[in-house]
């Protein structure tokens, strides 16, 4: 049985916060739900920073830019600047420019924020926004299978796209027939939490394109380490004095494990304590990576340790 999954409270909580300089927070389900802050979250984030801690915000949501997230945080009362936000939209653009050394343009299944972050890196893209509707009969599908492709496209990028269509699926799969075409996804979350439930997330679109192209996307977001690597490069973070706080075992906690960080699961979002315990009891090393170091009912439970 793996170690961890300890209830974080009292003196142990004070000791942990004293041992870290930097705290990384997921947003949805950790700091807010929809447009409502989790009770105590605003006070926690602001007091941490008043006491000299560095705070960063990590999100797999590609539908908002750094600036948009900064505005949301500020509007809810959090002391936050856009440069504290690391999301899949800006990091995907950075990856294509700095790591993949993309020379061409991008066929984008994604929204305006993702398109804007690509533009900020000087990367041209096509495909974003509403596409033509499929009309009855065999004609349109046959035409899509034979339409000329843009020879400048060197990558296909999948993010959240409310205008996802069969036509976009066809076009992405055709570009990906070229093995030199980069295949990138912002994240593989299959559920997008919303007030009153949830809706299919970006991962559902990624799986469709992967199935149609018989290829596997390289994923930028959590649980992969690239967003954390971007933070280390930009801010010089010491992982030994950093903790990751999140509500999902398969993204937040696993990313923390992959990056060698201590982790805190908060029970105000997707994953449950029962799921964490089941992973702890498993004989699988892969399941053990999903076990948080600690858990709290809510991030507000950290507040007493700051008194």
């Amino acid at each position: 049985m793996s170690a961890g999954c300890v209830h974080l409270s009292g003196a142990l909580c004070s000791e942990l916060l004293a041992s870290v300089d930097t705290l990384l927070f997921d947003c949805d389900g950790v700091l807010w739900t929809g447009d409502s802050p989790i009770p105590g979250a605003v006070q926690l984030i602001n007091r941490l920073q008043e006491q000299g801690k560095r705070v960063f915000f990590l999100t797999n949501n590609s539908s908002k830019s750094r600036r948009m997230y900064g505005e949301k945080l500020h509007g809810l009362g959090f002391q936050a600047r856009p440069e504290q936000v690391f999301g899949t939209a800006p990091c995907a653009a950075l990856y294509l420019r700095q790591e993949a050394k993309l020379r061409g343009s991008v066929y984008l299944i994604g929204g305006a924020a993702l398109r804007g972050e690509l533009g900020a890196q000087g990367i041209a893209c096509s495909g974003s926004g509403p596409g033509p509707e499929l009309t009855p009969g065999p004609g349109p599908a046959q035409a899509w299978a034979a339409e000329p492709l843009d020879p400048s496209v060197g990558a296909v990028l999948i993010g959240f796209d409310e205008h996802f269509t069969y036509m976009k699926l066809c076009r992405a799969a055709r570009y990906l027939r070229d093995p030199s075409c980069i295949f990138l996804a912002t994240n593989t979350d299959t559920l997008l939490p919303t007030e009153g439930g949830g809706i299919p997330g970006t991962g559902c679109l990624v799986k469709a394109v992967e199935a149609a192209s018989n290829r596997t996307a390289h994923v930028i977001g959590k649980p992969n380490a690239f967003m954390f690597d971007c933070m280390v490069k930009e801010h010089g973070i010491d992982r030994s004095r950093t903790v990751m706080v999140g509500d999902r075992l398969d993204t937040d906690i696993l990313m923390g494990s992959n990056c060698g960080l201590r982790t805190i699961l908060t029970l105000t979002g997707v994953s449950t304590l029962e799921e964490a315990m089941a992973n702890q009891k498993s004989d699988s090393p892969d399941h053990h990576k999903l076990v948080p170091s600690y858990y709290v009912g809510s991030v507000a439970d950290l507040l007493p340790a700051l008194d």
Side-chain angles (χ1 to χ4, degrees):
M1 183 182 296
S2 66
C5 210
V6 176
H7 184 216
L8 187 60
S9 62
L12 180 61
C13 189
S14 299
E15 291 170 9
L16 174 69
L17 291 182
S19 73
V20 300
D21 303 318
T22 305
L23 296 96
L24 316 180
F25 287 89
D26 178 52
C27 297
D28 298 311
V30 175
L31 301 180
W32 63 69
T33 301
D35 292 320
S36 302
I38 299 291
V42 172
Q43 295 92 324
L44 174 69
I45 295 299
N46 295 348
R47 288 184 63 186
L48 283 168
Q49 294 180 103
E50 288 165 3
Q51 295 191 13
K53 305 294 186 183
R54 292 199 298 176
V55 171
F56 295 95
F57 308 96
L58 279 71
T59 174
N60 273 357
N61 187 347
S62 66
S63 67
K64 289 183 173 66
S65 65
R66 265 184 148 178
R67 177 187 59 79
M68 293 166 68
Y69 257 99
E71 290 174 351
K72 178 166 184 174
L73 284 158
H74 189 265
L76 292 175
F78 294 95
Q79 295 175 8
R81 304 179 306 279
E83 56 266 32
Q84 291 173 264
V85 178
F86 284 81
T88 53
C91 289
L94 284 172
Y95 179 87
L96 287 168
R97 176 59 67 216
Q98 298 178 2
E99 303 296 322
K101 309 294 184 185
L102 176 69
R103 294 182 177 274
S105 65
V106 171
Y107 181 68
L108 174 63
I109 294 177
L114 192 47
R115 183 173 66 244
E117 295 289 358
L118 291 172
Q121 292 295 323
I123 300 172
C125 66
S126 60
S128 180
E133 295 294 328
L134 177 64
T135 56
Q142 291 177 351
W144 293 343
E147 69 171 346
L149 296 177
D150 181 352
S152 74
V153 170
V156 170
L157 171 59
I158 315 295
F160 183 76
D161 190 344
E162 62 184 3
H163 300 295
F164 185 71
T165 63
Y166 182 75
M167 180 274 289
K168 291 186 177 185
L169 176 62
C170 289
R171 193 169 291 170
R174 291 184 67 215
Y175 280 121
L176 290 169
R177 289 176 187 169
D178 180 354
S180 68
C181 184
I182 299 165
F183 186 15
L184 199 65
T186 58
N187 64 288
T188 54
D189 299 38
T190 55
L191 178 70
L192 182 62
T194 59
E195 289 182 295
I199 60 174
T202 300
C204 300
L205 312 187
V206 175
K207 287 181 182 295
V209 178
E210 287 182 332
S213 64
N214 197 29
R215 289 184 56 178
T216 301
H218 178 76
V219 181
I220 290 296
K222 301 171 289 185
N224 286 2
F226 185 70
M227 284 201 294
F228 180 73
D229 293 341
C230 288
M231 284 191 295
V232 171
K233 185 176 181 180
E234 191 169 324
H235 296 281
I237 293 171
D238 179 356
R239 71 184 68 222
S240 71
R241 295 189 60 82
T242 300
V243 65
M244 174 71 206
V245 186
D247 70 307
R248 293 186 64 137
L249 299 176
D250 60 344
T251 55
D252 306 318
I253 303 307
L254 182 54
M255 190 211 78
S257 296
N258 289 339
C259 296
L261 308 177
R262 287 171 287 177
T263 56
I264 302 173
L265 174 69
T266 178
L267 302 177
T268 51
V270 174
S271 295
T272 66
L273 180 58
E274 290 74 20
E275 290 169 336
M277 292 294 189
N279 284 307
Q280 187 179 37
K281 294 175 182 177
S282 170
D283 293 328
S284 168
D286 289 337
H287 286 192
H288 293 172
K289 293 180 181 179
L290 300 172
V291 178
S293 308
Y294 309 97
Y295 73 89
V296 291
S298 162
V299 291
D301 294 352
L302 303 178
L303 273 169
L306 298 176
D307 291 334

